[in-house]
Structures are given as structure tokens and as C-alpha cells.
Amino acid sequence: MTTVSRGGAPGPADGGQPARSRVERLPGTARPPGSPLSREVLDGFADAFVVTDRAGLVTLVNAVTATLLPEVVPGTDLTACPVPALARAARAGAGGFDTEHGGRRLHGVRRDLADGRHAWYVRDVTEEHARVEALRVERSRTVFLARAGSRLGLSLQREQALRTATTLPVPHLADLALVAHLPFPPTGARPHWIRYAGSAPAPATGPLTGTLPGLAEALGGQPVDPAPWPDGEPGLAALLPPGFGRPGTVLASPLRGPGRTVGALVLVRRTGRAGFTRPDVELAREFAARAGAALGAAELYGEQVHLARVLQNSLLPPELPTVPGAALAGGYRAAGDRLRIGGDFYDVFPVPAGAIFALGDVAGKGVGAAVLTGRVRQSLRTLRLVEQRPLELMRLLNQALLDAPDAARRSQFATLLLGTLDAAPGGGCTVRIAGGGHPSPLLLRAGGAVASVAVGGMPVGALAAARFAEATFRLAPGELLLAYTDGVVEAHGGPGGREMFGEQRLRAALASAAGLPPDALVDRLLRTVDEWLDGQSQDDIAMLAVAAAPP
């Protein structure tokens, strides 16, 4: 057994007998107090253990040292040993070092002993470092996917979703990202691409010519492995921005949307960057799955917006025709005013004798009410070809709504004013108007007096035996007829925000507008109601003003 003498060097004791070692408690060790500092004791350490004398020469090593630091043996000058990091730490008197040596990652710590000697503990931290690195990579992956999910979730427009899917992977996943996307709606046209590199101020776009490794498979919905960038392929130079450099590795992943593949994500790394590892491929495919879902959702949203726009265009108030003996103007506000469609409506249909006008309010709000509005208006446009008398026309409309599929289950109905305008020989026009449970229209006389035109009746489409009423009168020059929906009088606002606008305020506002042409009068009334609401939510509102023209 080799021991350490009091002077610090191993050797025999007096009289040729082994000297008893001075007992030392080594800092940071788990050695029991009183055990000798010996090779047998140190061999029990899990770490490499090196002891040097005051001159820096190695005097003692344990068995683990032979595995981790085979170059360090007794007698080695530690300041010049073949382990550079350890030699530098020994020369500088540093308290430790970190290095990679022999395929391992090592962490060393120095402890001072008596008589100027030192002990070096060297631990293999390869697995610990690998766990830390794996945790760092996983955290980076989680942060990237969380950021990507947040950004992609906000991309409701298709072009915005394409830009987000292209810009987010750079530089985390690649030096260049390209999305090859199929046209929407599908037309069979060639795919286009949108490309982004870190040095570019914004993504670029263009038609897809040529092919890349795995692109056809990715567009077909199949995942592929990374592949080298093909040299000499025609058409591929346009995919790279100027000054990008030599591409190295390409990874293509499908972008899957609801029910179909909407495109492919192509990631390109330069030659100087390491290729795609298996975790890189998994992360790229996870991102592509999220980007594909976002792009598919954006396409569905775009399709819904398109359908809503078509519906909106078909239901928005029409351009009013010229009617002999009368001047007309309409006003409209939809509840919420998002799609600008709702359940209140007005319409005017020219007929040989003059015109048929209608103003109504269907049950419900929003798109459901708008669909019924469209059914009522289209039914009126058709039925007026066979019947132009208001009362008879309303009866036909009532039967048509009741005959519609599932009419009883939907319980949808409408209140309606339906009238005709016929030019009178002495100026103005004759008005014949039928009521279907709608608020009575108001008649503004030339002197500013306001009166109601009582028509009454029952809602249209509610009962097969519904009864309707009719009134006939002459609208003289200077007079005006105002038909409106209940959203006007039921508008809640005012000083407390809860008071109804009411018919009396409407009458007063109408009287104050006497003498104005119909379009100016309607604008003033709508502005008055808007001021009463003061930005609060509202019901649908529709108005139709008919003024008698002078001879």
C-alpha cells in the first residue's frame, strides 16, 4: 500500500518500517474521519481523484482517473499534462475547469491540502450535460410551438396565414422557408410559392416551376425525409433569394387542412449549417401540422366570408326605382352592423300602373332572419307577376310562407306593410296599403301635422287563417308617408340609457323635418335615433319615405 508521509512524499518510515500516515479530512469528500489517504480509499470514489505536491507533480491517483484521464499518472507535471483545460487550470491556480476529453464531458474542482499540496476531483458529467441539453432543446421546442400556435391562431385571412407559416420557421428551423400552396378554391392550376429568408425584408411570391426533393410527395400528403439540395436542376434558382449562398439540406412536409392537403412546407438549410436531425424533423412536421390547420381554417373562414358577402349583396336594400307621382327614399340599420344584413327590409317593385312597395320585419335577428327576409322578398317578386292588389298579394304571401318546408317547426313569421302607388291626375299619388301586424305608418301633412294610417292585420306566415286589413288614401303634393319598423320606436337610450325612443319622439322628429325631401328626412331621422342610442346595441331598423310629387 502506498501512503503519504508527513513531508508529502511516499516512502518508508524510521527503522525500515512503514510510516503511519497523517490523517487528513479531504474537503468535499465523503471519506470517514480518520481513514488514511490511500489508493485503496480513493479507489472507492466515483470521481477521478488526483493529488499533486507543492511542485505540481502528481503523487497519487485513483482507479477512476485511469478511465477518465489515462494521461495523468504519478510523476506527471500537471501544469504540462496532455489535458489542456486541466493544465491551464493548474498553471493559473484556478478553482476548477470544464472540458470535453476522450468523448466525455468533464468537470473538475481543486481543493487545497496541507503543505501546499492540491487535490483535483474530476467528474464525468456527460449524461448530466446531455439531460440539461435535452431539457434546453425541449424548452426551446415548447416555446417555439407555443409562439407558433399563438401567431397561427390569429391568422384568419389566407394570405396572412401563408405569411405566418413562411416567416416563423426562420431562423429557428431553417435559413429559408418556402410554402408551396395549391389554389383556393381548387381549380387545377399550378401551385404557387411564398418564400422567406432571414435577410429579406418581406416574403416573396411566384409560380412554382421545377421540383424539389420530396415536394411532390408532400403536396400529395406524404411526409418525407431530409434530402440534399439538387444541383443543376432548372427552375430552382428562382426559389432562392439573391446572395443566399449554397443550399445544403431540404426538408419538405405536407400542410394538411380539413379534408385535404392545402400545400407543403419546404425548409432549406445552408451548406455550413448542420443537417436536420430526427428531433428537427419531428419539430418541423409538428409545425407543418399546425400551419396546415391554420391555413385550412383560414380558407374555410374565407369561404364563409365569401358566402356571407354573396348573401349580403342579395339582401342589402335595393336601389329604389323612379315612380311616377312620387319620390322615395329608404334607410337601414342592421343590429350589430357586422354583415349589415338582418330581419328588417324594404323593397319597391315597378309595375305598369306605378309601383308596389313593401316594408317588413321578420322574426329573429342576424343570418337566420336574413334568410327569411330573402324568402319574403323573392316570394313578393314572384307573386307580384300574378297579383298586384295589396290585400290579395299579402294573402298569397302568407300561404307561400306556410307552404315552405318545415315552416311550422321554424315558427318564422313577419310583420309587413304592403302597398301600391298610382300617380293621381292632379298631382301626388293614390296609396293603397295592406297591413300584416306591422306598426301603422305615419302621414306627414304639408303643414307639419302628423297622423297615423291605421291598417292593423295579423303577422304573415304565422296562421293559415290570418286576417289582414287595408286602407286607401290620396297622398297630396307636399305630403309624405313614412313606414318604419319597431326598431325605431323601441330603441333604448337617452340620458339613462334604458328609455325607449317611442312613437311620440318619432312624431316630433318627423314634424320637425317637414318640407325636407325624402332622402334628407330619412337621414335626419336615422341620425336622431343614432344620437338617442349613443353607441348602444340596437335592433334592426328600416324606414321607407314616400313623398307625393307636384303635378
Side-chain angles (χ1 to χ4, degrees):
M1 179 179 69
T2 305
T3 60
V4 178
S5 66
R6 293 179 183 274
D14 294 339
Q17 298 298 321
R20 183 177 181 81
S21 299
R22 177 167 58 86
V23 175
E24 293 185 275
R25 174 73 175 182
L26 297 178
T29 70
R31 183 170 63 87
S35 60
L37 181 59
S38 66
R39 173 68 181 271
E40 285 78 0
V41 172
L42 299 181
D43 282 348
F45 283 31
D47 301 335
F49 190 91
V50 178
V51 177
T52 62
D53 60 15
R54 68 184 64 185
L57 299 179
V58 176
T59 60
L60 186 63
V61 297
N62 66 348
V64 180
T65 305
T67 301
L68 297 184
L69 302 169
E71 303 88 349
V72 179
V73 296
T76 301
D77 181 358
L78 204 60
T79 62
C81 72
V83 184
L86 177 55
R88 286 193 299 270
R91 288 195 301 269
F97 69 92
D98 288 280
T99 188
E100 290 188 7
H101 182 71
R104 298 181 177 89
R105 192 171 188 89
L106 305 179
H107 174 70
V109 177
R110 191 190 76 172
R111 294 289 185 262
D112 296 332
L113 304 177
D115 302 328
R117 295 175 299 143
H118 305 288
W120 288 88
Y121 303 86
V122 182
R123 185 159 57 94
D124 184 354
V125 295
T126 305
E127 293 185 2
E128 178 182 331
H129 184 268
R131 289 193 295 270
V132 171
E133 179 63 18
L135 179 61
R136 185 195 66 79
V137 170
E138 184 60 28
R139 285 179 176 173
S140 175
R141 168 193 173 100
T142 302
V143 169
F144 172 75
L145 289 178
R147 178 169 172 261
S150 176
R151 291 275 303 278
L152 290 168
L154 299 176
S155 305
L156 291 180
Q157 304 295 332
R158 186 171 187 266
E159 294 304 318
Q160 181 185 10
L162 286 171
R163 291 172 64 91
T164 303
T166 307
T167 55
L168 277 180
V170 180
H172 188 88
L173 288 174
D175 300 307
L176 179 145
L178 180 144
V179 172
H181 54 97
L182 302 174
F184 180 80
T187 60
R190 292 182 61 86
H192 278 60
W193 53 259
I194 177 170
R195 176 201 69 208
Y196 180 73
S199 58
T205 60
L208 186 63
T209 57
T211 183
L212 284 169
L215 179 57
E217 292 83 352
L219 288 174
Q222 300 298 319
V224 293
D225 293 328
W229 178 272
D231 292 327
E233 288 287 339
L236 295 184
L239 300 181
L240 300 175
F244 179 76
R246 181 179 175 82
T249 312
V250 181
L251 174 63
S253 302
L255 297 174
R256 297 189 182 94
R260 74 182 188 104
T261 300
V262 295
L265 172 67
V266 179
L267 302 176
V268 181
R269 289 185 175 180
R270 293 186 177 93
T271 302
R273 185 171 177 177
F276 293 95
T277 63
R278 182 49 52 185
D280 292 338
V281 174
E282 293 174 356
L283 180 58
R285 289 176 179 170
E286 176 66 23
F287 173 77
R290 300 189 182 198
L295 184 57
E299 290 184 345
L300 289 177
Y301 176 79
E303 185 174 12
Q304 291 176 350
V305 169
H306 173 71
L307 293 176
R309 187 175 294 114
V310 172
L311 177 63
Q312 175 187 11
N313 291 336
S314 67
L315 296 178
L316 284 177
E319 292 286 338
L320 297 181
T322 300
V323 177
L328 295 86
Y332 180 75
R333 293 280 193 279
D337 205 28
R338 290 188 177 180
L339 291 178
R340 297 172 54 218
I341 55 177
D344 292 10
F345 69 95
Y346 63 84
D347 214 338
V348 178
F349 315 109
V351 293
I356 298 175
F357 68 89
L359 181 137
D361 181 0
V362 306
K365 297 180 181 180
V367 176
V371 171
L372 181 56
T373 297
R375 182 178 295 121
V376 171
R377 290 176 61 186
Q378 292 302 320
S379 298
L380 285 173
R381 287 182 179 275
T382 303
L383 293 173
R384 71 181 173 86
L385 300 177
V386 297
E387 179 60 69
Q388 298 177 5
R389 294 172 296 175
L391 192 60
E392 287 73 9
L393 181 56
M394 188 169 289
R395 289 170 179 160
L396 288 176
L397 175 63
N398 184 68
Q399 188 60 48
L401 294 179
L402 290 173
D403 289 344
D406 299 329
R409 180 176 59 82
R410 290 193 308 270
S411 299
Q412 291 182 323
F413 58 89
T415 63
L416 184 66
L417 291 176
L418 188 59
T420 57
L421 301 173
D422 298 316
C429 56
T430 301
V431 181
R432 185 180 181 187
I433 185 169
H438 198 82
S440 297
L442 298 177
L443 182 61
L444 176 62
R445 303 294 186 183
V450 178
S452 294
V453 179
V455 286
M458 301 175 65
V460 180
L463 298 172
R467 294 189 299 273
F468 309 108
E470 187 180 66
T472 303
F473 59 94
R474 179 174 179 267
L475 191 65
E479 296 181 337
L480 179 141
L481 179 71
L482 177 71
Y484 60 92
T485 58
D486 58 9
V488 177
V489 295
E490 294 178 2
H492 287 76
R498 296 184 178 181
E499 187 178 355
M500 288 178 52
F501 188 73
E503 184 176 339
Q504 292 303 316
R505 287 189 178 86
L506 176 59
R507 285 171 172 261
L510 183 60
S512 68
L516 292 178
D519 53 353
L521 182 141
V522 168
D523 286 343
R524 174 182 286 192
L525 293 180
L526 287 176
R527 187 165 57 252
T528 302
V529 175
D530 289 341
E531 292 171 354
W532 180 259
L533 289 166
D534 193 23
Q536 297 185 85
S537 60
Q538 64 182 48
D539 196 359
D540 297 334
I541 291 174
M543 296 181 185
L544 181 64
V546 181

